[in-house]
């Protein structure tokens, strides 16, 4: 990651109690933490609370941070846990869905087989399409959503995502693939319908 | 999507899309893709799905929320220096 060296220096300053370093850390990392929180909780107010909680706990626990992972990965990890606690409070049954974690067995078989790639660009760029894209992520099972947001939207590496979620690299790969398949199904249904109405 | 070859493709698709499959396996999967419309559609629309998400505008922390964040962390004094 680009910020890693700077983050190391920043970390030292935060540990020495330098408040301007804390401010820099917030400035640098709050946009990503907010996007993650918003996409995990699906709610602006909740996301704002998660961001506050994340930095409060991070600064409090800064001495116990071993620096094995990058600072941003560690912050994502705290934010994910905070968001998860909130989700469990609001939708207790939503989080405990156990899914298949190996390739092959029980794989989701694609059902939507219409080729919608060649729709005109405006159909993909409409605000309605964007709302549909966001909604599709929000309605993924929580475990798949967390991986998809970190890997695909926040561009964390497979290793960083595994670290942030405390799962193995293979689990990250399986969940990312399953998330992509599920989103593809959902978007296929949406864009196929659009293709039909345009003929 | 019922033939054994289609299932074989699906089982290896994640690695193929992420460029982790061996050259040999890639060639094999691509031969199948040339002759199977259904699998072609799945691969193309999966790629398109990822591409659409990469183009999606990023949500931003609203300015008022940013103010509250700095305040809650007792960092308000740094708000102007780094806007
Ligand atoms: Zn096939």
């Amino acid at each position: 990651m680009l910020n890693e060296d700077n983050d190391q220096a920043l970390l030292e300053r935060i540990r020495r109690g330098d408040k301007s370093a804390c401010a820099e850390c917030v400035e640098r990392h709050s946009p990503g933490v907010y996007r993650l929180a918003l996409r995990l909780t699906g709610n602006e107010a909740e996301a704002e609370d998660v961001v506050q909680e994340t930095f409060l706990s991070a600064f409090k626990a800064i001495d116990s941070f071993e620096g094995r992972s990058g600072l941003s990965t560690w912050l994502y990890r705290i934010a994910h846990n905070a968001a998860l606690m909130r989700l469990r409070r609001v939708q207790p049954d939503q989080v405990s869905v156990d899914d298949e974690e190996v390739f092959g067995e029980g794989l989701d078989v694609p059902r939507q087989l219409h080729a919608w790639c060649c729709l005109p660009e405006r159909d993909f760029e409409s605000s309605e399409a964007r709302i549909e894209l966001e909604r599709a992520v929000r309605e993924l099972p929580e475990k798949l959503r967390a991986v998809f947001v970190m890997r695909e939207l926040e561009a964390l590496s497979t290793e960083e995502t595994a670290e942030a979620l405390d799962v193995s690299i293979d689990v990250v790969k399986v969940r990312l693939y399953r998330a992509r398949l599920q989103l593809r199904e959902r978007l296929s249904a949406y864009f196929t319908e659009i293709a039909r109405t345009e003929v | 999507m019922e033939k054994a070859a289609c299932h074989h493709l699906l089982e290896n698709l994640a690695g193929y899309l992420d460029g982790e499959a061996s050259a040999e396996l890639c060639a094999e999967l691509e031969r199948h893709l040339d002759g199977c419309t259904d699998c072609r559609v799945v691969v193309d629309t999966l790629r398109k799905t990822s591409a659409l998400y990469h183009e999606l505008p990023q949500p931003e922390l609203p300015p008022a929320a940013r103010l509250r964040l700095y305040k809650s962390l007792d960092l308000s004094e740094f708000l102007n220096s780094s806007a």
Side-chain angles (χ1 to χ4, degrees):
Chain A
M1 286 215 87
L2 198 73
N3 280 330
E4 218 158 79
D5 283 338
N6 290 337
D7 275 349
Q8 198 50 46
L10 201 58
L11 203 57
E12 292 308 317
R13 285 167 54 212
I14 296 172
R15 286 199 170 121
R16 287 199 303 268
D18 181 345
K19 277 178 81 178
S20 74
C22 293
E24 251 177 73
C25 175
V26 172
E27 199 57 28
R28 190 180 297 173
H29 295 293
S30 60
V33 170
Y34 176 72
R35 291 192 299 268
L36 174 71
L38 183 62
R39 277 163 170 154
L40 290 178
T41 62
N43 176 297
E44 284 191 14
E46 294 268 348
E48 184 183 338
D49 287 348
V50 167
V51 176
Q52 283 191 12
E53 256 177 70
T54 299
F55 285 100
L56 278 172
S57 358
F59 293 147
K60 212 178 285 173
I62 201 82
D63 284 324
S64 67
F65 175 55
E66 294 166 11
R68 256 185 316 124
S69 60
L71 183 57
S72 68
T73 307
W74 185 57
L75 291 169
Y76 278 127
R77 183 189 178 108
I78 299 173
H80 174 256
N81 286 334
L84 213 60
M85 293 241 267
R86 281 164 186 278
L87 281 179
R88 291 214 166 110
R89 225 175 293 149
V90 197
Q91 315 153 302
D93 48 340
Q94 240 238 322
V95 238
S96 53
V97 190
D98 242 328
D99 39 17
E100 192 63 55
E101 306 274 64
V102 287
F103 284 113
E105 297 282 316
L107 201 68
D108 319 87
V109 175
R111 289 170 214 283
Q112 298 280 348
L113 297 170
H114 182 84
W116 49 268
C117 285
C118 38
L119 277 168
E121 268 314 293
R122 64 182 147 82
D123 287 329
F124 297 121
E125 288 166 357
S126 70
S127 55
E128 197 193 279
R130 283 177 174 163
I131 290 169
E132 184 65 22
L133 285 163
E134 293 283 5
R135 189 183 297 145
V137 174
R138 217 156 46 232
E139 292 177 7
L140 280 174
E142 187 279 326
K143 287 177 178 175
L144 303 190
R145 184 164 72 238
V147 168
F148 183 79
V149 173
M150 289 184 187
R151 281 287 287 117
E152 198 94 279
L153 302 179
E154 292 303 316
L156 265 67
S157 68
T158 303
E159 290 73 16
E160 288 167 331
T161 305
E163 183 74 39
L165 295 174
D166 205 11
V167 296
S168 72
I169 282 177
D170 282 341
V171 164
V172 171
K173 287 182 179 174
V174 174
R175 287 184 188 171
L176 177 64
Y177 181 52
R178 297 195 65 221
R180 283 172 173 164
L181 281 178
Q182 290 192 20
L183 291 169
R184 192 205 72 90
E185 286 296 317
R186 166 119 192 202
L187 297 185
S188 293
Y190 173 79
F191 287 116
T192 299
E193 191 54 37
I194 290 197
R196 266 195 202 116
T197 59
E198 279 184 2
V199 176
Chain B
M1 308 257 29
E2 280 168 20
K3 287 170 289 174
C6 297
H7 278 278
H8 180 62
L9 179 116
L10 281 178
E11 277 169 15
N12 293 289
L13 194 49
Y16 174 69
L17 289 172
D18 288 332
E20 288 179 356
S22 69
E24 200 183 336
L25 182 59
C26 280
E28 187 192 333
L29 297 179
E30 272 154 21
R31 266 198 306 279
H32 177 71
L33 286 173
D34 282 340
C36 181
T37 316
D38 284 354
C39 286
R40 183 85 255 167
V41 168
V42 170
V43 169
D44 287 347
T45 50
L46 264 175
R47 286 213 168 105
K48 185 69 184 174
T49 297
S50 287
L52 287 176
Y53 278 103
H54 292 159
E55 291 160 13
L56 204 59
Q58 298 276 40
E60 282 177 26
L61 184 67
R66 184 169 171 271
L67 289 183
R68 287 191 292 270
L69 173 63
Y70 275 74
K71 199 167 183 187
S72 73
L73 298 166
D74 192 22
L75 296 171
S76 298
E77 60 193 289
F78 298 99
L79 265 170
N80 296 326
S81 59
S82 51

